[in-house]
Amino acid sequence: GDMSIRLVYMALLPRVRRRGYGRCLLQALQAEAALKRKPVTLSVSKQNIAAQRLYASLGWSATNQDDANLEMIWLKPETPAAG
């Protein structure tokens, strides 16, 4: 199977932005990825600072970049071993 889940495109109309819909969609994707023990990757425009802030607030990290885009990844946080 695939080693990761790739978010190819997500866009919200301006009139419904900043209402938590994007965060909710991302959190649902992250929950599914965590269950499947897979990272999630995406590419975001370097000009889209609002999206970058959202991703960072949800634990995404930049992995690479080119002139126009930033590659990002989300990995399930490690849970400390019991004991």
Side-chain angles (χ1 to χ4, degrees):
D2 294 329
M3 299 300 294
S4 67
I5 297 170
R6 179 74 176 178
L7 176 58
V8 175
Y9 189 79
M10 182 175 80
L12 296 171
L13 295 172
R15 70 175 184 264
V16 296
R17 290 181 189 156
R18 303 201 51 83
R19 295 186 187 181
Y21 298 130
R23 177 176 297 275
C24 184
L25 290 168
L26 288 165
Q27 287 173 324
L29 179 61
Q30 289 173 295
E32 184 68 18
L35 286 174
K36 294 184 178 189
R37 294 186 170 96
K38 292 185 177 188
V40 187
T41 61
L42 60 80
S43 180
V44 61
S45 168
K46 285 184 175 178
Q47 295 180 352
N48 194 341
I49 302 302
Q52 291 176 43
R53 285 188 185 131
L54 172 60
Y55 301 138
S57 76
L58 291 171
W60 294 70
S61 303
T63 58
N64 208 346
Q65 60 183 315
D66 61 25
D67 292 341
N69 299 301
L70 196 60
E71 276 295 312
M72 299 189 82
I73 191 168
W74 178 83
L75 301 165
K76 179 183 176 190
E78 293 295 321
T79 52

